[in-house]
Amino acid sequence: MFTKQLQDEDEEILKIAKKFNSTSGSLPQRFLFFITSLLIRFGFRYPKLKLQTFKFIDVLPSLETNNIYSYFKIYIFDEDTEIPSFLKTSIHFLIHHFYLSSIVSYVLLRVVQFFAKLFILSESKETLNRKTNQTRPRTYDILGEIALSPKEAKEYQKQYIDLIEELPEVIHNIDPIRRTNISIKCSGIETRLFPEAEEVSIQFLKEALRPILRLAMTKGIGINLDMEQYDLKSIITRTAKELFLEEEFKLYEHFGIVVQSYLKSSNEELVVWRKYAKLRGVPITIRLVKGAYLEYERIKSEERGWESPVFDSKQETDIQFEKNVLFLLESYPYLRSAFGTHNLRSISFVLYHTNQKSITDFEIQMLYGMAGKYKFSLESLGYPIREYSPIGSLLPGMAYLIRRLLENTSNQGFLYQLSQGKKLDSLVKNPNKETQYGI
């Protein structure tokens, strides 16, 4: 049973949601929203074709340009999809008969690169320098997956160091939201991370991180350690706690870490981080997200016969996210909050409670290339947005592109529900109430 106070709170949250959802945004933002909506409708009208398309995109970086169409045929035309057989046969006949495979291969490559550019900020330092002149603050992320060799890890570490050297020095007393940040993928800079050998893994990871942290401190740049799959959580968390307390790092105020609300232990983690920040005497930034490895964690737990560390439903994750938000705000100034979400209910919930508690030192973080309409709306209302901005070559970044496309076409996704004509009131419902909507 909901109290009158909670009902009033939900009404205020709905008003906030309606206020910034009504803003149309700029022409490029409306165009991107239109493209995203088309992707969503495509994904749910043709689920088999969507799956095969994503598989094709995933393998594309390993292909020579002239051979792209051959693999496109294998993944799209030779598999069972919603495309009628006669249409697939006819298209292939025309391409083969008129020797168009090279041209089609080139066009396919360009189309995929176009979509990659929607989600990837920059391929080179030159274009990055031009884009860093924009007013929107960023947290930069070097594109890459888990390093498979020491050589790969060293190269990945060097890319972070080169990036920090390229970025301008941050003004000492700058507003925290304006401070340049970099997110570190720990499994990219160190291959020797083994849950069964945690102590030695932590030592290896600290050695890989120290040069990056030292250089970042000289530039006044914030460093945030990304959280990855659950297997690595303890290693990354313990590394952060030990490293941030080392003599050369313990007074630096611009270190942070990610907490994932889909983990059942997320609230306990925040309690520990608050105690840690009090002990350290310097704030820690917590980037609160819902989590990006949900299905992976479920499958791995099932394979091992273990209890899943993540919640079973999105609704439970949403409830936990809001509990985490309230705890973070109550933990200010020991914990500085950065909320990573594109969900209208979640954003409105954060804005309502930060206003109630008169807290202005917090961030809303969104992915580059997503939710442009909401970024524009929030900024027009005086709330600066930090963009999580991937940089690196487009083709090696295909795995990142796949994750973004999957998010945009999730059947529980806010954008999908909105594109299906769901009323805003139902999409912004309190997750504690029985509802099938929301993300």
Side-chain angles (χ1 to χ4, degrees):
M1 180 69 76
F2 273 60
T3 65
K4 179 67 165 59
Q5 180 182 352
L6 286 174
Q7 289 174 344
D8 291 344
E9 177 183 303
D10 282 346
E11 287 177 7
E12 291 301 314
I13 290 171
L14 177 60
K15 286 179 183 177
I16 293 171
K18 287 181 174 178
K19 186 173 183 180
F20 74 81
N21 185 60
S22 61
T23 308
S24 59
S26 65
L27 185 60
Q29 289 164 347
R30 292 200 300 271
F31 172 73
L32 187 54
F33 192 82
F34 171 73
I35 293 294
T36 303
S37 298
L38 286 181
L39 278 173
I40 291 168
R41 293 191 185 100
F42 163 81
F44 281 91
R45 190 171 181 182
Y46 309 109
K48 293 179 182 178
L49 182 56
K50 169 187 143 179
L51 176 62
Q52 290 305 123
T53 300
F54 286 177
K55 286 181 177 180
F56 167 71
I57 293 173
D58 196 32
V59 78
L60 185 60
S62 63
L63 305 179
E64 294 182 3
T65 303
N66 289 339
N67 294 331
I68 288 176
Y69 173 69
S70 299
Y71 284 87
F72 178 83
K73 177 181 177 294
I74 292 171
Y75 280 92
I76 307 299
F77 290 169
D78 293 350
E79 292 292 329
D80 178 28
T81 66
E82 291 84 358
I83 303 176
S85 296
F86 79 89
L87 186 57
K88 291 191 285 190
T89 303
S90 300
I91 293 173
H92 176 64
F93 173 78
L94 289 173
I95 292 172
H96 180 72
H97 183 73
F98 290 104
Y99 303 100
L100 298 175
S101 60
S102 295
I103 295 174
V104 173
S105 294
Y106 178 80
V107 171
L108 287 170
L109 177 63
R110 289 302 182 188
V111 168
V112 174
Q113 287 177 332
F114 168 78
F115 281 105
K117 286 180 180 179
L118 296 179
F119 301 103
I120 297 173
L121 174 68
S122 173
E123 287 188 86
S124 65
K125 292 179 182 179
E126 289 72 23
T127 55
L128 177 62
N129 286 336
R130 289 197 294 270
K131 293 184 179 183
T132 50
N133 293 327
Q134 297 179 3
T135 56
R136 185 172 288 160
R138 303 190 185 279
T139 182
Y140 295 101
D141 169 45
I142 301 289
L143 282 172
E145 297 302 306
I146 295 174
L148 300 178
S149 69
K151 183 179 178 181
E152 270 188 33
K154 283 292 183 184
E155 176 58 33
Y156 201 45
Q157 181 197 47
K158 183 177 183 299
Q159 288 182 54
Y160 280 115
I161 291 172
D162 290 346
L163 172 62
I164 296 171
E165 289 177 341
E166 188 69 26
L167 291 170
E169 188 171 335
V170 177
I171 300 171
H172 178 64
N173 292 321
I174 196 171
D175 185 340
I177 183 62
R178 297 292 172 191
R179 184 174 300 277
T180 301
N181 273 247
I182 294 177
S183 291
I184 308 292
K185 185 179 179 70
C186 294
S187 64
I189 63 171
E190 178 53 66
T191 58
R192 296 165 294 181
L193 303 181
F194 308 113
E196 63 274 15
E198 191 167 291
E199 295 298 331
V200 70
S201 297
I202 290 169
Q203 298 309 312
F204 287 139
L205 183 54
K206 286 196 289 188
E207 289 175 14
L209 282 168
R210 284 190 188 103
I212 298 173
L213 269 55
R214 287 187 190 116
L215 185 57
M217 287 174 60
T218 66
K219 289 286 195 83
I221 291 172
I223 293 292
N224 193 73
L225 300 189
D226 271 345
M227 197 56 65
E228 303 177 44
Q229 60 267 35
Y230 186 74
D231 281 349
L232 298 180
K233 185 178 83 69
S234 181
I235 292 174
I236 295 172
T237 301
R238 285 189 56 195
T239 297
K241 288 176 181 174
E242 293 180 19
L243 200 54
F244 298 165
L245 276 177
E246 290 184 357
E247 190 65 30
E248 60 181 315
F249 303 127
K250 66 181 182 181
L251 297 180
Y252 195 61
E253 298 183 12
H254 312 300
F255 292 139
I257 197 163
V258 169
V259 170
Q260 300 157 310
S261 288
Y262 71 1
L263 291 177
K264 297 172 184 176
S265 61
S266 57
N267 210 61
E268 289 74 17
E269 290 175 43
L270 291 177
V271 172
V272 172
W273 276 112
R274 181 169 66 182
K275 290 179 181 177
Y276 173 87
K278 287 182 179 180
L279 171 68
R280 186 170 178 253
V282 176
I284 289 288
T285 297
I286 300 293
R287 183 173 191 261
L288 185 68
V289 301
K290 293 184 182 178
Y293 299 88
L294 184 63
E295 290 305 319
Y296 172 85
E297 299 296 358
R298 284 176 181 164
I299 291 168
K300 294 299 287 185
S301 298
E302 188 175 326
E303 285 177 352
R304 296 165 175 171
W306 294 352
E307 180 184 350
S308 174
V310 300
F311 288 109
D312 293 328
S313 71
K314 209 69 173 96
Q315 184 179 344
E316 290 175 294
T317 300
D318 287 342
I319 292 170
Q320 185 77 346
F321 183 83
E322 295 193 357
K323 288 180 181 177
N324 294 158
V325 168
L326 294 177
F327 185 88
L328 275 174
L329 297 180
E330 289 165 3
S331 301
Y332 180 80
Y334 304 105
L335 299 181
R336 183 173 176 275
S337 304
F339 304 105
T341 180
H342 307 94
N343 177 272
L344 201 52
R345 161 77 193 189
S346 299
I347 297 169
S348 303
F349 183 88
V350 168
L351 297 184
Y352 172 79
H353 285 284
T354 51
N355 184 56
Q356 290 294 303
K357 297 177 185 297
S358 300
I359 294 175
T360 57
D361 185 15
F362 71 97
E363 297 181 12
I364 301 291
Q365 296 188 0
M366 297 186 182
L367 294 168
Y368 177 78
M370 290 182 67
K373 173 182 174 180
Y374 295 148
K375 293 171 188 171
F376 176 83
S377 300
L378 288 165
E379 288 170 336
S380 68
L381 294 172
Y383 297 102
I385 301 300
R386 184 183 296 278
E387 277 191 324
Y388 189 94
S389 306
I391 60 174
S393 300
L394 295 181
L395 290 183
M398 288 303 164
Y400 179 86
L401 174 60
I402 292 293
R403 288 197 291 273
R404 299 293 77 83
L405 292 173
L406 285 171
E407 285 179 19
N408 269 328
T409 56
S410 163
N411 64 353
Q412 291 182 312
F414 179 83
L415 289 175
Y416 169 68
Q417 298 291 348
L418 198 60
S419 74
Q420 292 297 100
K422 307 297 183 186
K423 290 185 178 179
L424 190 65
D425 298 44
S426 66
L427 293 172
V428 189
K429 265 187 181 178
N430 190 319
N432 286 283
K433 297 178 181 179
E434 285 300 321
T435 173
Q436 61 178 320
Y437 306 127
I439 181 169

